[in-house]
Amino acid sequence: VASVRETVERIGMPWHKLFGALESAASEDIALSGIEPHPKTGTVVISGNGKDYLAALTYVLNLGRQEALSRVQLVRHEGTSNDPRGPVASPISAAWRGARQ
């Protein structure tokens, strides 16, 4: 029963608002690799890889301008190569407006 309830909660979430926000903030410098919604807390973790740290910060700024999201923050950044100016993996945490169950 709990699994069914969780599935129903996830189906009823405002996915169109989240995907619209992600599309509006999109950048050629960021490749998304995951979206982890947390309905009970009304938050979402967005994972991706940026061409560099500045690209990751710019993406966070662009997400923060979206109506569907608030409290957008870069959780951490990790270099994916030996070059300090190279690609970075960057999970981003945000409050997802209207998602809390």
Side-chain angles (χ1 to χ4, degrees), residues 1-99:
V1 172
S3 294
V4 171
R5 182 176 295 132
E6 183 179 338
T7 300
V8 170
E9 286 177 354
R10 287 180 184 259
I11 289 171
M13 297 175 71
W15 290 102
H16 64 284
K17 291 182 181 180
L18 176 61
F19 291 133
L22 295 174
E23 286 180 19
S24 294
S27 165
E28 292 181 8
D29 297 333
I30 297 289
L32 296 185
S33 57
I35 301 169
E36 295 176 53
H38 303 278
K40 292 186 185 342
T41 61
T43 60
V44 62
V45 175
I46 303 160
S47 301
N49 294 306
K51 93 172 186 183
D52 55 29
Y53 183 61
L54 180 58
L57 289 179
T58 301
Y59 188 63
V60 169
L61 179 65
N62 290 341
L63 284 173
R65 293 179 176 152
Q66 304 305 310
E67 186 177 315
L69 301 173
S70 64
R71 297 191 316 269
V72 179
Q73 57 187 342
L74 186 64
V75 176
R76 69 181 179 276
H77 69 282
E78 302 169 358
T80 58
S81 72
N82 291 333
D83 182 356
R85 295 173 308 221
V88 297
S90 52
I92 299 165
S93 172
W96 181 8
R97 293 188 176 127

